[in-house]
Amino acid sequence: MKRTTLSLFAGAAALAAVTGFAAVSAPGDTGAETAEPAARLPVERTSLLCPAPSASDLAETTYTSFTPVTEGAEKKGTATLTAAADGAGAEAGKGGEDAGSGKDGEDAKDGEESKDGKDGKPVLRPGAPGTPVTGTASGADAPALTGTAEGSHAPGWTVQQTTEVAAGTGRGLLGLNCTAPDTEFWFPGASTASGRTDYVHLTNPDDSAAVVDIELYGKDGVLKSTVGEGVTVPPGGGESLLLSTLTDVEQTDVTVHVNVRSGRLGAAVQALDDKTGGDWLTAAADPAGELVVPGIPADATAVRLMLFTPGGSDADLKVRLASPSGAITPAGHETVHVKAGMTTGVDLGEVTRGEAGSLVLTPTSGSVPVVAAVRVVRGKGGEQESAFIPASDPVGARATAAENRAKGTTLSVTAPDRTAKVEVTASAGTEGGTTATKTFTIEGGTTQNVEVPVPAGLKGTYALTVETVSGGPVYAARTLTGEDEDVASFTVQPLPDDRGTVPVPKAEQNLSVLQQPPA
């Protein structure tokens, strides 16, 4: 989804209205000049929204905030995360040690953060760009969070929310990158089947109520319900709705469409399974004819692909797995047919066969917009755990993963078409360490689990940034595994462009645009 960059866009629009762009001819010119390429400038303001992490009393949640150092960004700035209005209280950001533990003391002073999320004070106050900061929350009462970063803290600001649940429905490791507010979200991969407990979480960052429609689509089309129409989310607050209360139809594969009538929201689906744990299902990339689902773990024991086409035409897609040795076609699943307005699920089994892999979906003939996600299971028997990977946008200029550990972090990078070169940088640690950088070449049509750089003298956790240096588009995903090696707990986050910069067209003075034609 699109990160908020209103201030820059508004400034560019105002400049265009007064002076006109360079392509506009001045009086007496014989022809229009050619506009120069738009410069990319750092964003000045970013908003992020984190859903309430868990309803389990056994939940332990960590928030990790990170802003990469961006050339040309303002020298000063601020960033805060505060509890949403309906938060019932939490231990998120326990004052000085846990919340705001970065080295920038001016941005993270002891006693400035909230200890329970009830007093309106920030539960996490990020430190200086280039150094991650962590905060914690315990139990079932941790609220949804709303956050804003400005100035030097805004470009590429990323917050990772990771929750460990020791037992019960949805046990395991649940993680997501907190999302930017938007007006439309697609979630293929949800379910209303017996044994699944799925919630759609909505968080409103603004000071006016938002109104949203929630539509569900199963294998035979729309699941009729009036309960999801006109849902009101209070100003600065959050709501969570159990999907099985929106329809009485049990469906293994459901696509959730969140369409905001007024206002804007952050949205995510929490998918909890009685047998295979649970994780967050974040919004898939916008409907497109070609899709990439990056970073399927090498040791996946089951992979299920879910697809939906929102238009009025069926879609036929070619399925390929980009492996370390090249693109291969999964046996028996060369193509998949997706009926218009219906959710399609395909079991791919152990498709990665012990190697890194990403799914690449391309049209067999005419291009029809599709959304997609996969459900991945690791482990066997009673030690199984599940996670979700939606189709993703490419890394673009730079992508960011905020929480990484010395052990248990896997970075997967895919170049679906042409060979590409990427630079991966590890930040300083939350409690100490110095940055480290490595450059990798990813051959076209392959996926590589790269050797992640680790900060020298690392203490705590660190952030990763992935930058495209040259070549074709690349896609990336980070897998984080639990610290208990006997349990298959894990979570996967795709890494799309962090929207740290935006194109701003060059303009020059041209007052002729203000002249009125003669009557």
Side-chain angles (χ1 to χ4, degrees):
M1 294 296 109
K2 284 67 180 175
R3 181 155 293 181
T4 303
T5 56
L6 296 180
S7 57
L8 271 177
F9 283 128
L15 188 60
V18 174
T19 64
F21 290 122
V24 180
S25 298
D29 286 350
T30 57
E33 301 176 11
T34 301
E36 296 184 14
R40 297 196 67 90
L41 298 179
V43 300
E44 298 174 352
R45 182 183 175 91
T46 298
S47 295
L48 291 178
L49 306 169
C50 308
S54 179
S56 171
D57 291 333
L58 302 177
E60 296 292 336
T61 299
T62 299
Y63 302 97
T64 304
S65 169
F66 177 73
T67 297
V69 176
T70 303
E71 183 178 355
E74 294 185 17
K75 295 182 179 180
K76 295 182 179 181
T78 60
T80 57
L81 279 169
T82 58
D86 64 341
E91 292 179 330
K94 298 179 180 178
E97 288 189 359
D98 291 325
S101 56
K103 294 181 179 180
D104 184 2
E106 293 183 359
D107 288 332
K109 295 179 181 178
D110 290 351
E112 289 187 353
E113 291 77 31
S114 171
K115 295 183 178 181
D116 58 13
K118 295 180 180 180
D119 52 14
K121 294 181 180 179
V123 297
L124 180 63
R125 189 182 299 275
T131 302
V133 174
T134 61
T136 60
S138 298
D141 293 331
L145 303 180
T146 64
T148 301
E150 297 181 337
S152 61
H153 289 59
W157 186 40
T158 302
V159 177
Q160 166 82 15
Q161 174 181 295
T162 305
T163 303
E164 294 191 62
V165 180
T169 299
R171 57 165 172 75
L173 199 64
L174 296 80
L176 86 165
N177 282 330
C178 297
T179 60
D182 211 328
T183 57
E184 186 176 38
F185 306 85
W186 292 97
F187 300 96
S191 179
T192 58
S194 175
R196 278 279 290 272
T197 307
D198 288 16
Y199 295 85
V200 58
H201 287 249
L202 308 171
T203 309
N204 180 3
D206 298 325
D207 56 6
S208 59
V211 180
V212 59
D213 293 331
I214 302 172
E215 302 164 333
L216 308 180
Y217 298 88
K219 61 182 179 65
D220 299 317
V222 65
L223 303 180
K224 294 183 178 180
S225 170
T226 59
V227 181
E229 295 181 2
V231 176
T232 299
V233 184
E239 294 284 350
S240 62
L241 294 90
L242 180 63
L243 293 189
S244 60
T245 64
L246 304 182
T247 178
D248 56 3
V249 180
E250 291 192 3
Q251 295 272 296
T252 300
D253 302 309
V254 171
T255 298
V256 180
H257 180 215
V258 176
N259 186 37
V260 184
R261 288 192 203 173
S262 63
R264 57 185 188 144
L265 294 169
V269 171
Q270 191 174 49
L272 311 177
D273 192 283
D274 291 345
K275 296 181 179 179
T276 60
D279 207 347
W280 288 99
L281 170 60
T282 53
D286 291 340
E290 298 185 9
L291 298 171
V292 176
V293 183
I296 300 174
D299 59 353
T301 55
V303 176
R304 184 171 180 84
L305 171 65
M306 287 79 67
L307 309 106
F308 178 80
T309 175
S313 302
D314 292 0
D316 289 287
L317 298 171
K318 180 180 179 180
V319 181
R320 292 178 297 151
L321 180 75
S323 72
S325 57
I328 61 176
T329 301
H333 300 291
E334 294 82 3
T335 61
V336 59
H337 180 72
V338 186
K339 293 183 178 180
M342 303 179 187
T343 301
T344 298
V346 180
D347 276 323
L348 301 179
E350 298 183 50
V351 65
T352 55
R353 299 186 180 277
E355 294 185 320
S358 300
L359 287 180
V360 180
L361 308 172
T362 55
T364 59
S365 54
S367 179
V368 177
V370 176
V371 292
V374 299
R375 180 174 183 256
V376 178
V377 177
R378 293 176 67 236
K380 295 187 177 182
E383 300 298 330
Q384 289 183 321
E385 227 256 283
S386 58
F388 296 85
I389 312 174
S392 175
D393 290 323
V395 166
R398 181 185 64 196
T400 303
E403 179 186 354
N404 300 279
R405 304 166 183 172
K407 295 182 179 179
T409 295
T410 302
L411 178 63
S412 179
V413 183
T414 302
D417 301 312
R418 296 181 289 122
T419 297
K421 182 179 291 186
V422 297
E423 183 177 88
V424 181
T425 300
S427 75
T430 53
E431 301 173 20
T434 56
T435 61
T437 300
K438 290 184 179 180
T439 301
F440 304 92
T441 298
I442 312 299
E443 298 293 331
T446 72
T447 295
Q448 306 292 335
N449 284 350
V450 301
E451 184 180 354
V452 177
V454 177
L458 172 65
K459 294 182 180 180
T461 60
Y462 64 99
L464 283 173
T465 56
V466 182
E467 298 179 75
T468 305
V469 177
S470 63
V474 294
Y475 297 75
R478 189 278 315 275
T479 298
L480 192 65
T481 56
E483 297 180 358
D484 187 348
E485 296 181 356
D486 295 330
V487 180
S489 60
F490 73 114
T491 182
V492 183
Q493 279 74 56
L495 303 180
D497 193 309
D498 64 19
R499 307 289 181 180
T501 60
V502 291
V504 178
K506 182 178 179 180
E508 65 180 21
Q509 186 175 6
N510 183 0
L511 299 180
S512 66
V513 299
L514 302 179
Q515 295 176 354
Q516 296 294 325

